[in-house]
Amino acid sequence: MLSPTLFAAVFPLLGVVLAQDGSLSGPTSSASAAQYSCDSSKCKLPDCLCASTDPPGGLSPRDTPMFLVFTADDAIQSYTLDSVNQFLAHRKNPNGCQPKMTYYTSIDYTNYTLVTDWYVAGNEIADHTMTHVGTPPEDEVSGNLIALNQLAGIPLSSIQGFRAPFLNYSVDTLKMLAKLGFTYDSSASAALPVTENDTDAFWPYTLDYGMANDCLAVENICKGEPKLPGFWEIPMYAQFDNRGVDGVHLMDPWLDTANGATTVNDSATLEFLKNTFTAHYNGKRQPFGLYTHPIHVSLSVPGSTASNSTIAMINQFLDWAQQQQNVWIVSHEQLLAWVRNPTPISSLNDFAPLKCSTPAVDSSMKICNGIPQNEAGLVELCPFSDFPFYTCYGCPSEHPTPSNPSPEQSTASAAPRVRISSNCSTPFWDPIKGECICTSSTCAFTDSSRPIGPNGANLTGDQLNSTDQSSPSQSSDPYVPFNGAVGLPAGAFTALVVGVVGAFVGAVGAVARL
């Protein structure tokens, strides 16, 4: 149990960081400010797409799936994954696959082994800078890439996306991301309802003809700038309460008051989530986003003030959303794969990026590869006292920093670990032996997708008349909460508590710099 002294230190910080990120007060763009013009006769998929409210590929809304994007920001620890699990672990998409999500990861206070595990479970790991710095310098962004690759074993080619801390970015940030080889950014806001004639709720688009969002909020963008061919913007779609454009909500909307009230009301939040979703669903099917800081709704973080009623409300909303036809909970990576290759509802069961697969690794094999049953007993706990620091890839001699994102391995380790090879997939890389256990060019995965058939109204188009009532066949358990999978040694809980305090102190310091 958290001691009174430590709880007293943590508790006031919980309130301080509640609104640290992603709040809006009104529109961030307008048609007149954007002055956006794109030549659709030249801008063609899969590598160019004009900003538009219409579904890509000329699909009609009725043939377009409804995508609900789920993302999380900041450090990855057991309590943040517990938080995500309470919303996604028990769910399935229409093809029987458990939903995947995007985690915009900053590495301060992060447990690297859990990053590996989360990625190998099929989720997207994206860049959120090393130390959570808004309008970041290049070393904060590229350093995060290096650390996630070297210490969590995430292939560089798999880290495609970026989100700026505090959603604080500049035109130079976008240019830097394109230069560093990122595929997309998701820091811009769509802050006008889809029901408005001049809404900025565009489907994801490339910056071949400049930005069309945030023109009132970020200097030197829009009016055709910046021109970054092939680089994508995935807007963050706001929700709106009864006040319409004056009642805008973005990240962690359950922390906001609704309809001009002075206190948070879960019923009012549920109402505006449903109303906004319905407007997207009944309109042009622009994606709907739930953008979270999972620590705010974690029941397992020491000193948690998360509300059980709020958590139940979020699940109630997701239950309701999944009762609608053709609703898919996806990561940004999956969304963008579909946008680049628009596939009608009737063919989604065969659309590879929405399928699920399990790495074909013998469960009895001992290999530190991001699969809990394989890596048990092999993960190293690094001797840093401020937060639990685990890795399969060798403890660094010092904390990673922007100036030194991949320190030399500590000589205290029993044997050096070998960082992941560029030609091997994470679940098949053995960092102890320094070899890839898969000898084929693609490595082996087992497809565990299967259309659910009737499950309420959540059906893919070619399953509408199915009589199959069976459950999908899965080759592995659902998202197992990863706290405890590694086996925390004595003293680790104290380190966790100290790490949480440090994380909140760091967040408060970041707020002070705004």
Side-chain angles (χ1 to χ4, degrees):
M1 186 174 182
L2 196 63
S3 72
T5 301
L6 280 174
F7 183 79
V10 173
F11 183 78
L13 296 177
L14 286 170
V16 171
V17 298
L18 288 183
Q20 65 162 317
D21 236 330
S23 60
L24 296 174
S25 57
T28 60
S29 192
S30 70
S32 59
Q35 296 183 25
Y36 180 82
S37 178
C38 178
D39 187 346
S40 59
S41 67
K42 296 179 180 178
C43 187
K44 298 287 189 180
L45 289 172
D47 297 319
C48 186
L49 184 64
C50 297
S52 174
T53 59
D54 293 323
L59 290 181
S60 67
R62 68 176 178 273
D63 292 326
T64 301
M66 184 67 213
F67 292 115
L68 193 161
V69 178
F70 195 103
T71 74
D73 285 15
D74 300 343
I76 291 182
Q77 284 288 354
S78 61
Y79 48 82
T80 64
L81 297 189
D82 284 347
S83 177
V84 173
N85 271 321
Q86 67 190 344
F87 302 120
L88 299 184
H90 54 292
R91 302 189 182 280
K92 287 184 171 62
N93 277 325
N95 61 354
C97 294
Q98 296 152 11
K100 307 305 180 186
M101 52 82 67
T102 300
Y103 210 118
Y104 291 95
T105 311
S106 52
I107 64 166
D108 267 8
Y109 311 104
T110 278
N111 180 332
Y112 287 90
T113 292
L114 296 184
V115 179
T116 311
D117 291 359
W118 204 237
Y119 170 76
V120 171
N123 300 287
E124 180 184 10
I125 299 297
D127 196 322
H128 198 50
T129 75
M130 291 191 77
T131 65
H132 204 266
V133 177
T135 318
E138 184 171 325
D139 60 356
E140 280 278 351
V141 178
S142 61
N144 208 35
L145 287 174
I146 293 169
L148 289 169
N149 172 256
Q150 296 288 285
L151 293 169
I154 312 301
L156 288 173
S157 60
S158 294
I159 307 174
Q160 303 178 42
F162 176 82
R163 175 172 290 159
F166 314 105
L167 309 185
N168 190 353
Y169 69 98
S170 68
V171 66
D172 289 335
T173 306
L174 299 173
K175 292 177 179 179
M176 172 181 63
L177 295 172
K179 183 188 75 171
L180 290 174
F182 283 87
T183 301
Y184 74 87
D185 169 72
S186 185
S187 305
S189 304
L192 288 166
V194 294
T195 51
E196 296 285 321
N197 290 332
D198 60 347
T199 182
D200 58 351
F202 304 116
W203 280 84
Y205 59 96
T206 60
L207 301 192
D208 293 63
Y209 292 83
M211 278 278 278
N213 291 85
D214 278 355
C215 306
L216 300 175
V218 179
E219 294 182 356
N220 301 318
I221 65 170
C222 299
K223 301 178 183 178
E225 295 296 333
K227 289 182 174 64
L228 301 172
F231 182 76
W232 292 80
E233 183 64 33
I234 303 179
M236 299 175 66
Y237 304 96
Q239 296 102 31
F240 301 88
D241 63 31
N242 291 342
R243 296 170 294 169
V245 70
D246 295 321
V248 59
H249 308 273
L250 191 60
M251 296 201 76
D252 309 304
W254 35 84
L255 303 180
D256 296 346
T257 59
N259 307 323
T262 56
T263 58
V264 174
N265 183 307
D266 289 333
S267 296
T269 303
L270 178 61
E271 179 184 29
F272 76 66
L273 290 175
K274 286 184 175 182
N275 288 344
T276 304
F277 182 94
T278 299
H280 284 237
Y281 186 90
N282 289 341
K284 296 185 177 181
R285 298 277 171 97
Q286 294 99 322
F288 180 95
L290 286 183
Y291 313 112
T292 76
H293 294 94
I295 198 169
H296 299 325
V297 281
S298 171
L299 295 172
S300 58
V301 62
S304 170
T305 59
S307 164
N308 279 292
S309 65
T310 297
I311 291 168
M313 179 275 295
I314 298 168
N315 269 314
Q316 185 180 349
F317 167 73
L318 289 168
D319 289 344
W320 170 85
Q322 286 201 292
Q323 290 169 9
Q324 317 310 311
Q325 289 189 8
N326 306 312
V327 173
W328 296 71
I329 301 175
V330 298
S331 67
H332 271 152
E333 180 181 37
Q334 290 174 308
L335 171 64
L336 192 55
W338 184 90
V339 169
R340 297 182 73 169
N341 181 21
T343 302
I345 288 168
S346 60
S347 302
L348 279 185
N349 284 333
D350 297 320
F351 186 64
L354 293 181
K355 289 192 172 187
C356 47
S357 60
T358 302
V361 179
D362 186 341
S363 61
S364 66
M365 179 176 285
K366 292 298 182 182
I367 174 175
C368 210
N369 65 344
I371 303 176
Q373 65 264 28
N374 293 113
E375 66 188 6
L378 300 177
V379 177
E380 290 187 311
L381 172 62
C382 304
F384 301 121
S385 60
D386 51 352
F387 64 97
F389 191 123
Y390 292 89
T391 180
C392 277
Y393 294 90
C395 289
S397 56
E398 58 186 83
H399 275 298
T401 63
S403 60
N404 187 17
S406 182
E408 292 184 357
Q409 288 190 49
S410 170
T411 56
S413 298
R417 300 286 178 95
V418 182
R419 304 288 166 76
I420 189 168
S421 168
S422 61
N423 62 355
C424 190
S425 183
T426 306
F428 303 104
W429 178 252
D430 187 338
I432 297 175
K433 294 182 179 179
E435 65 181 24
C436 192
I437 66 170
C438 180
T439 57
S440 71
S441 60
T442 58
C443 295
F445 287 81
T446 301
D447 185 2
S448 52
S449 310
R450 182 183 176 189
I452 290 176
N455 67 329
N458 192 14
L459 310 171
T460 52
D462 60 346
Q463 293 296 310
L464 290 175
N465 298 314
S466 172
T467 58
D468 179 10
Q469 300 290 331
S470 62
S471 298
S473 173
Q474 295 288 87
S475 60
S476 62
D477 290 336
Y479 291 117
V480 176
F482 289 112
N483 61 313
V486 175
L488 300 182
F493 182 76
T494 302
L496 170 62
V497 172
V498 174
V500 171
V501 174
F504 284 132
V505 170
V508 173
V511 171
R513 290 196 296 271
L514 288 181

